Amino acid sequence: NAGVIQTPRHKVTGKGQEATLWCEPISGHSAVFWYRQTIVQGLEFLTYFRNQAPIDDSGMPKERFSAQMPNQSHSTLKIQSTQPQDSAVYLCASSLVDQDTQYFGPGTRLLVL
Amino acid sequence: GEKVEQHESTLSVREGDSAVINCTYTDTASSYFPWYKQEAGKSLHFVIDIRSNVDRKQSQRLTVLLDKKAKRFSLHITATQPEDSAIYFCAASMNYNQGKLIFGQGTKLSIKP
């Protein structure tokens, strides 16, 4: 079992550029969650899919951030016009249907210069 | 919305002693309470959880206690070992089956030889 896979592990972008982060959930897991971790804000929920359908995006910044899950094997988080305050570790987690336990990937460390 | 507070930002115990990390939550609708461990430079690793239908759960050296009346839950680690050193995060979720996690700010546990 490879666990949750996130790519890239590190990304550096210039202010105003676009960043796309990828997540491959554990095989058979039907729910995918995105979180963001910073020193100041801690761990924050962003958005969540179940069976590829968006369920809760209450944590997503309304502008510039979007997420998709086009198939059961991957999800993407896209940040348009990146800003320095978007610098964070973006974590993806997955879980089985009707199971609470979320398993986290290694994260993508995004640095916006 | 739900808020989770972790009372100890740092905790230092001697190897072999017990450690206790305390969390409180605000929303009585919260029903699922997991704990995660984060070692330096790594992602979140699930360690133990408890659901609101019980008030105690034990797994080897780890015990979680839940006091719904006080809206408080705690992680007890007995016979601490150097490899227990990490940041521990508590979290709460309002859904039994899947749902976003609201995290505490983390407790850095150091085990002294």
Side-chain angles (χ1 to χ4, degrees), chain A residues 16 23 29 43 46 112:
Chain A
C23 170
H29 282 199
L43 283 154
L46 296 175
V112 182

Side-chain angles (χ1 to χ4, degrees), chain B residues 57-99:
Chain B
K57 181 175 180 179
Q58 182 174 356
S59 174
Q60 299 181 316
R61 295 187 295 112
L62 304 178
T63 301
V64 182
L65 302 179
L66 174 63
D67 181 344
K68 291 191 291 290
K69 191 173 288 186
K71 288 186 282 187
R72 180 173 59 216
F73 58 114
S74 56
L75 174 67
H76 299 246
I77 308 173
T78 58
T80 52
Q81 300 167 1
E83 53 266 36
D84 295 329
S85 294
I87 300 176
Y88 289 81
F89 291 92
C90 62
S93 174
M94 278 188 273
N95 294 337
Y96 263 116
N97 293 322
Q98 301 179 348

Side-chain angles (χ1 to χ4, degrees), chain A residues 4-13 19-24 34-38 46 75-77 79 86-93 104-112, chain B residues 38 41-44:
Chain A
V4 175
I5 297 171
Q6 289 189 250
T7 55
R9 294 291 308 276
H10 302 271
K11 186 171 182 66
V12 180
T13 67
T20 300
L21 313 180
W22 290 68
C23 170
E24 181 179 330
W34 285 95
Y35 296 85
R36 174 167 70 176
Q37 184 174 27
T38 61
L46 296 175
S75 174
T76 57
L77 179 68
I79 309 171
D86 299 332
S87 297
V89 176
Y90 288 83
L91 294 164
C92 177
F104 283 79
T108 294
R109 185 175 295 274
L110 176 67
L111 177 61
V112 182
Chain B
Q38 187 172 40
K42 296 189 177 180
S43 189
L44 298 173

Side-chain angles (χ1 to χ4, degrees), chain A residues 6 9 30-31 33 35 37 39-45 48-50 56 58 91 95-107 109, chain B residues 31-34 36 38 41-51 57 87 89-90 93 95-106:
Chain A
Q6 289 189 250
R9 294 291 308 276
S30 62
F33 302 80
Y35 296 85
Q37 184 174 27
I39 298 295
V40 173
Q41 298 294 332
L43 283 154
E44 301 175 284
F45 167 79
Y48 147 48
F49 296 85
R50 185 193 299 156
D56 182 352
S58 58
L91 294 164
S95 69
L96 284 165
V97 65
D98 294 335
Q99 294 281 321
D100 298 300
T101 307
Q102 296 180 26
Y103 297 92
F104 283 79
R109 185 175 295 274
Chain B
S31 57
Y32 173 65
F33 307 92
Y36 286 86
Q38 187 172 40
K42 296 189 177 180
S43 189
L44 298 173
H45 176 75
F46 170 80
V47 289
I48 192 170
D49 59 14
I50 191 166
R51 290 168 180 78
K57 181 175 180 179
I87 300 176
F89 291 92
C90 62
S93 174
N95 294 337
Y96 263 116
N97 293 322
Q98 301 179 348
K100 67 183 179 188
L101 297 176
I102 306 300
F103 284 90
Q105 289 296 98

